[in-house]
Amino acid sequence: TRDYAQPIIAKTAASKPASTGNAKQTTIAEMENNWDSFAFNPIRESTVSRAMTRRYFADLDTHAESDIVIIGAGSCGLSTAFVLARARPDLKIAIIEAGVAPGGGAWLGGQLFSAMVMRKPADAFLREVGVEYEDEGDYVVVKHAALFTSTLLSKVLAFPNVKLFNATCVEDLITRPAEEGVRIAGVVTNWTLVSMHHDDQSCMDPNTINAPVIISTTGHDGPMGAFCVKRLVSMQRIEKLGGMRGLDMNVAEDAIVKGTREIVPGLIVGGMELSEVDGANRMGPTFGAMALSGVKAAEEALRIFDV
Ligand code: AHZ
């Protein structure tokens, strides 16, 4: 038989569910010391493709109209998502992250060092998320920044009302005329790989998500960061950026938390992206402000929903 005939024959069988909810579940203990007779359940490659694509396109369909879009899955964006998703299971929340790996700059405490420092009272957020820490008086230390980020990420992803679209970049904002001049009404997204081909492919248009509230947490300026606030300048919605200032942990953290707000109607900015608008100091490797800016961004968003 010719090889290409194979999928047609196997399609019917493969489209049947390989296992039912009532199937006996093997335990690890049953596998141990029994490796000679070990075998995975059978699968066809197309089944794997369909299992992924069917869900992804359903997610794209569901979230084309979202309630809230969070741009950037760094420490601030994930903190925002955690608070919002827990407070309002009825809201559809899409997180758009340009990188493959969510977490932004929060996989290490700073430089190559593992521990993550948070100044009090941000320890309250760690207790909410369920991350252990050592209490050092005015500050607490999580033994590895990755423990904070992975725990927070796992909680966020487990909420049924949250969808993370990673490897997806926000490349523009959707706007609507409004009394205040303009309102932000959604985001324009594109696959990172597609956007890399803008120079040699002219016919690829981007995708969109409509949402009444956008929360931008894309970090400080760099190849990627501060995307929305830079776009607000080019859209002439704000005159210019203040530019992130030098490092001052004490001044910076308070300023970022207090300054987290709706910058133009429909667009809330939190985390280090805000330092670029306000000309606020950076704080370097202390993360309390990112968590609490997320709490405040969520509060600002809920205020818009409650109006
Ligand atoms: O990939 C970015 C990162 O994960 C993502 N991002 C940026 N532009 C994007 C776009 N579309 C989608 N156009 C985009 N995603 O946003 C995330 C930002 O995470 P981050 O950790 O850089 O920002 P944060 O504000 O959550 O935390 C900043 C923490 C600090 S403070 C500091 C200093 O003082 O020097 N440095 C860092 C990293």
Side-chain angles (χ1 to χ4, degrees):
T1 52
R2 297 223 308 264
D3 201 21
Y4 63 72
Q6 191 65 12
I8 301 161
I9 300 160
K11 200 171 163 186
T12 336
S15 61
K16 286 188 200 142
S19 64
T20 69
N22 300 326
K24 180 186 177 303
Q25 291 182 330
T26 310
T27 65
I28 292 288
E30 284 166 342
M31 281 180 238
E32 278 166 1
N33 300 317
N34 212 9
W35 298 113
D36 285 346
S37 59
F38 174 85
F40 280 107
N41 285 9
I43 196 139
R44 185 165 176 75
E45 289 74 6
S46 60
T47 306
V48 177
S49 292
R50 286 180 177 143
M52 296 186 294
T53 53
R54 190 189 305 128
R55 284 167 178 79
Y56 197 81
F57 286 107
D59 285 335
L60 278 178
D61 185 11
T62 304
H63 288 275
E65 285 284 352
S66 292
D67 295 306
I68 297 178
V69 172
I70 297 171
I71 313 172
S75 46
C76 182
L78 290 174
S79 302
T80 310
F82 175 80
V83 176
L84 274 173
R86 191 177 61 167
R88 291 289 300 269
D90 58 312
L91 295 181
K92 243 191 289 175
I93 301 166
I95 308 174
I96 313 294
E97 167 53 52
V100 171
W107 290 109
L108 288 166
Q111 294 238 349
L112 300 176
F113 310 127
S114 312
M116 173 182 262
V117 173
M118 283 206 188
R119 293 159 63 205
K120 290 183 179 177
D123 53 321
F125 187 75
L126 296 176
R127 289 191 294 278
E128 295 281 317
V129 179
V131 178
E132 298 219 345
Y133 56 78
E134 284 174 67
D135 194 325
E136 296 279 2
D138 284 331
Y139 66 95
V140 299
V141 183
V142 180
K143 73 172 183 180
H144 202 302
L147 176 63
F148 167 77
T149 300
S150 59
T151 308
L152 179 58
L153 185 58
S154 70
K155 298 271 162 92
V156 166
L157 292 177
F159 285 114
N161 56 331
V162 172
K163 171 65 191 177
L164 168 69
F165 295 98
N166 47 339
T168 304
C169 191
V170 169
E171 293 193 335
D172 205 351
L173 299 169
I174 298 176
T175 64
R176 292 277 182 273
E179 264 175 42
E180 314 90 319
V182 93
R183 211 191 144 76
I184 307 304
V187 295
V188 177
T189 65
N190 204 351
W191 300 105
T192 304
L193 283 174
V194 170
S195 64
M196 285 168 72
H197 283 276
H198 279 170
D199 289 342
D200 54 40
Q201 300 288 330
S202 60
C203 57
M204 291 191 288
D205 274 326
N207 203 1
T208 56
I209 299 180
N210 285 102
V213 177
I214 310 298
I215 304 174
S216 189
T217 64
T218 68
H220 58 65
D221 200 4
M224 295 291 306
F227 172 79
C228 285
V229 298
K230 286 193 282 191
R231 187 70 183 102
L232 289 182
V233 174
S234 60
M235 283 163 57
Q236 303 184 346
R237 297 320 305 163
I238 55 179
E239 199 188 324
K240 61 181 173 68
L241 295 181
M244 184 177 71
R245 304 293 160 86
L247 192 149
D248 182 335
M249 290 185 182
N250 285 296
V251 172
E253 290 211 281
D254 294 3
I256 293 295
V257 175
K258 288 182 183 162
T260 301
R261 65 191 185 281
E262 192 178 17
I263 300 271
V264 301
L267 183 76
I268 295 162
V269 178
M272 283 312 279
E273 183 166 3
L274 200 62
S275 73
E276 301 289 354
V277 190
D278 291 346
N281 294 92
R282 73 196 310 169
M283 71 287 295
T286 52
F287 283 84
M290 296 304 112
L292 297 188
S293 172
V295 174
K296 185 149 189 277
E299 193 180 299
E300 297 285 321
L302 294 178
R303 191 170 296 139
I304 300 174
F305 271 97
D306 291 343
V307 170

